[in-house]
Amino acid sequence: MSTTVNNCHILLFPYPAQGHMLPLLHLAHRLSLHGLTITIVITPKNLPYLSSLLSSHPSSITPLILPFPSHPSIPPGVENVKDLGHSGNLPMLTSLSKLHDPLLHWFNSHPDPPVAIISDFFLGWTLHLAHQLNIPRLVFFPSGAFLAAIDDYVWNNVEQLKTLDQVELSALPGSHVFKSHHLPSLFRLYKKSDPDWEFVKDLKLANTKSWGCVFNSFEAFEGEYMDYLKKKLSHDQIFGVGPLNLPGPGNLGSGSDLNERLLTWLDGCPKASVVYVCFGSQKLLKREQMEALALGLEKSGTRFVWVVKTGSTQEREDGFGNVPDGFEERLAGRGLVMREWAPQVSILSHEAAGGFLSHCGFNSVLEGIVGGV
């Protein structure tokens, strides 16, 4: 795509979880390269995630920093789901909806307000904001069109499906059948007439009522589900723009000393000899799981890079995310343990990477495909 749209101003609103925020920031980078002016809604503790983006596009991308709305289930100072775990999604969704009025005020007082909103699929309430402002809202799915098709089906039929042990999605390509406990967790947890859960239902249904859908996916991978959504929604505003994390020129990356040492170590490894182990930003492994994984890596004799999520002080005391004593010393030179984060795209695209042990989050699946691992 080589088209540029000069001075068109749009608002991006990411959801504060690693797997949601990073793809939308990659999209902001790509859109800026095509001449758009972008404002990104962010809360103070999440502002560091924008640092490389803002330094790469100082004149075209601006943060809109709004105070994080408090919630009784979210500890003070916590503004990202990575610090709450998966169960933190419901309070996070509810809390962020309180930004509606500050955003409305900002729009109405801005001399050149955005002409469209692109927001994460966990922020469906922004459709109502867009209607008030008489501008289009595009929903951004950091995951694929297959999940969007399932989400649309189950939330439009939530009361009938909640009572079933098995759900047949006969309208979807492939006529999939799922056991109820394999369906999306927010759907499984939904409680009719509970105000918080009715809010979740409303924001989910708002997604496919939006002007368009943007997927971190691509036609060759999910074309049949994109076509299904076009027919189901009776419009063609279904855009596969992924993979958004392609390595190479024009992409964002981190050049820390730790990353440089990691890549130097990979350069010294034989081709396809390293297993990369990472279970995402929300999943903490229990002591027994950590010990089993460490034992497997040690006995396998293979080279590895293991990204370990360490959790809070209390969680570490309870054994979550603790690498067994002596493991790193015994395997020094054969493997690296990295805490909290690693440059996943760079690792998977390195010729030394030969395997990926993953929780199979959508970003990780895409990055594995792109890296050919």
Side-chain angles (χ1 to χ4, degrees), residues 21-43:
M21 183 178 288
L22 298 181
L24 190 52
L25 298 183
H26 283 296
L27 178 62
H29 170 63
R30 300 287 178 187
L31 292 174
S32 183
L33 294 177
H34 291 293
L36 278 78
T37 300
I38 297 164
T39 298
I40 301 176
V41 181
I42 203 78
T43 60

Side-chain angles (χ1 to χ4, degrees), residues 123-177:
L123 303 170
W125 57 267
T126 54
L127 176 63
H128 308 303
L129 173 66
H131 283 166
Q132 284 178 274
L133 297 164
N134 198 29
I135 60 175
R137 182 250 178 168
L138 290 89
V139 52
F140 176 74
F141 288 87
S143 51
F146 179 53
L147 174 62
I150 292 172
D151 237 18
D152 176 70
Y153 184 84
V154 298
W155 285 105
N156 274 295
N157 300 280
V158 63
E159 287 169 27
Q160 308 95 287
L161 300 182
K162 278 288 287 181
T163 60
L164 302 178
D165 294 328
Q166 188 166 281
V167 173
E168 184 175 350
L169 305 177
S170 54
L172 269 65
S175 299
H176 299 274
V177 178

Side-chain angles (χ1 to χ4, degrees), residues 36-58:
L36 278 78
T37 300
I38 297 164
T39 298
I40 301 176
V41 181
I42 203 78
T43 60
K45 288 286 179 67
N46 290 306
L47 187 58
Y49 289 105
L50 271 61
S51 58
S52 67
L53 187 66
L54 297 176
S55 62
S56 298
H57 305 280

Side-chain angles (χ1 to χ4, degrees), residues 254-269:
S254 173
S256 73
D257 290 344
L258 182 62
N259 294 343
E260 291 302 321
R261 290 202 301 274
L262 165 69
L263 295 174
T264 300
W265 181 80
L266 287 172
D267 289 343
C269 296

Side-chain angles (χ1 to χ4, degrees), residues 287-327:
R287 188 192 305 275
E288 296 84 356
Q289 293 169 322
M290 292 292 292
E291 289 172 352
L293 184 51
L295 185 63
L297 288 171
E298 187 164 357
K299 286 186 174 293
S300 72
T302 193
R303 298 168 186 261
F304 63 88
V305 174
W306 181 10
V307 182
V308 174
K309 180 173 170 58
T310 55
S312 66
T313 303
Q314 183 59 54
E315 285 167 332
R316 288 196 296 275
E317 286 177 5
D318 293 340
F320 286 90
N322 284 342
V323 177
D325 289 344
F327 174 81

Side-chain angles (χ1 to χ4, degrees), residues 202-282:
D202 180 64
L203 73 83
K204 284 292 190 176
L205 292 173
N207 285 330
T208 43
K209 294 175 184 170
S210 298
W211 182 86
C213 302
V214 180
F215 294 100
N216 184 20
S217 189
F218 52 101
E219 287 282 340
F221 187 31
E222 291 199 298
E224 61 182 345
Y225 296 106
M226 293 184 194
D227 290 341
Y228 164 82
L229 287 168
K230 288 176 184 178
K231 289 176 189 166
K232 173 75 168 53
L233 305 178
S234 302
H235 65 69
D236 286 340
Q237 289 97 250
I238 305 293
F239 307 103
V241 299
L244 286 163
N245 45 13
L246 288 169
N251 209 351
L252 297 168
S254 173
S256 73
D257 290 344
L258 182 62
N259 294 343
E260 291 302 321
R261 290 202 301 274
L262 165 69
L263 295 174
T264 300
W265 181 80
L266 287 172
D267 289 343
C269 296
K271 187 174 181 179
S273 66
V274 176
V275 173
Y276 173 62
V277 183
C278 182
F279 294 112
S281 60
Q282 293 184 32

Side-chain angles (χ1 to χ4, degrees), residues 87-145:
S87 61
N89 279 314
L90 180 60
M92 185 65 72
L93 294 174
T94 310
S95 179
L96 290 173
S97 68
K98 296 174 188 171
L99 293 179
H100 173 281
D101 289 353
L103 280 169
L104 186 63
H105 174 74
W106 177 82
F107 263 92
N108 288 332
S109 59
H110 197 287
D112 179 26
V115 297
I117 295 172
I118 303 178
S119 58
D120 188 273
F121 79 132
F122 273 176
L123 303 170
W125 57 267
T126 54
L127 176 63
H128 308 303
L129 173 66
H131 283 166
Q132 284 178 274
L133 297 164
N134 198 29
I135 60 175
R137 182 250 178 168
L138 290 89
V139 52
F140 176 74
F141 288 87
S143 51

